[in-house]
Amino acid sequence: AQSVSQHNHHVILSEAASLELGCNYSYGGTVNLFWYVQYPGQHLQLLLKYFSGDPLVKGIKGFEAEFIKSKFSFNLRKPSVQWSDTAEYFCAVKAGSYQLTFGKGTKLSVIP
Amino acid sequence: DGGITQSPKYLFRKEGQNVTLSCEQNLNHDAMYWYRQDPGQGLRLIYYSQIVNDFQKGDIAEGYSVSREKKESFPLTVTSAQKNPTAFYLCASSRGFASGRSTTGELFFGEGSRLTVL
């Protein structure tokens, strides 16, 4: 079975700091990759996705992620975070016939 | 507006009682899912349905039951057999699975139902 690992449980940053959240998965075949975000009190929503093509994908609100196949990674980045980025971020992987598998999530707290 | 509606948002239940959570979608999606979210555990799949009148167990199906009599609806019953039912429950849907096609994995979520067992 596939698994998804998110390296950080809780990240605390000051506004304008750069962000990188790690995500690794275990599956040797073709994958579809996602980052979802859950803002406080809101429903889970898609931040960005990768199916194929350019491994650097851009999502909403200035977020981007890079798929590195050799490292089985799909790290999320943002050059300069804002207080409004405070949320929980989930990496997810769809591999083959398996259902979508989520990581355990990373809580991001941005201090004004 | 198209979307997924879950109800109720908050629910309290006494131990030993069954409770049913509603999930309705008007996105015309084939597949629907129930996840459970606990702090520090991410989302864990309870049940999913790829097509009407068919559903499959996910990773943590014990103590839960579902039905899929209509494309738009996928209710979840939390039975008294579920040992630790207090949690946040999320319903989701996705395109695909018609004619045997697999989904891309992109899900659309409802706002969730928070169940507390007293």
Side-chain angles (χ1 to χ4, degrees), chain A:
Chain A
Q2 58 180 347
S3 64
V4 180
S5 297
Q6 291 185 240
H7 310 304
N8 308 101
H9 178 60
H10 192 185
V11 173
I12 302 172
L13 295 172
S14 298
E15 274 194 321
S18 64
L19 169 72
E20 181 160 2
L21 301 183
C23 174
N24 286 88
Y25 64 92
S26 63
Y27 185 77
T30 301
V31 292
N32 291 345
L33 300 160
F34 306 85
W35 277 96
Y36 285 87
V37 60
Q38 190 174 38
Y39 297 103
Q42 295 188 27
H43 68 278
L44 213 64
Q45 57 187 283
L46 183 68
L47 197 57
L48 48 78
K49 61 188 178 186
Y50 171 81
F51 291 167
S52 64
D54 188 344
L56 184 62
V57 293
K58 296 193 183 300
I60 59 172
K61 304 188 180 186
F63 285 91
E64 64 178 31
E66 185 176 13
F67 171 48
I68 303 179
K69 189 173 181 180
S70 61
K71 295 185 177 180
F72 300 91
S73 70
F74 190 54
N75 292 354
L76 181 70
R77 299 195 292 248
K78 187 171 184 180
S80 175
V81 296
Q82 302 172 315
W83 177 77
S84 58
D85 294 325
T86 294
E88 190 160 16
Y89 294 80
F90 295 92
C91 180
V93 177
K94 173 77 170 70
S97 60
Y98 292 104
Q99 293 303 310
L100 190 67
T101 300
F102 285 85
K104 293 189 175 182
T106 298
K107 284 189 179 175
L108 172 65
S109 298
V110 180
I111 302 169

Side-chain angles (χ1 to χ4, degrees), chain B residues 30-95:
Chain B
D30 293 311
M32 296 187 74
Y33 309 80
W34 275 105
Y35 286 89
R36 171 178 170 142
Q37 185 179 8
D38 297 283
Q41 303 252 23
L43 277 69
R44 293 181 290 169
L45 184 62
I46 304 172
Y47 268 99
Y48 63 98
S49 167
Q50 302 176 7
I51 199 166
V52 175
N53 292 322
D54 186 49
F55 48 83
Q56 311 294 330
K57 291 183 179 180
D59 300 318
I60 55 165
E62 186 175 347
Y64 300 97
S65 66
V66 294
S67 63
R68 185 90 186 275
E69 297 176 1
K70 299 187 298 182
K71 187 175 185 178
E72 303 79 22
S73 178
F74 191 41
L76 173 74
T77 297
V78 184
T79 76
S80 56
Q82 167 49 233
K83 293 188 180 357
N84 187 19
T86 294
F88 189 54
Y89 291 90
L90 287 166
C91 180
S93 70
S94 68
R95 299 186 185 95

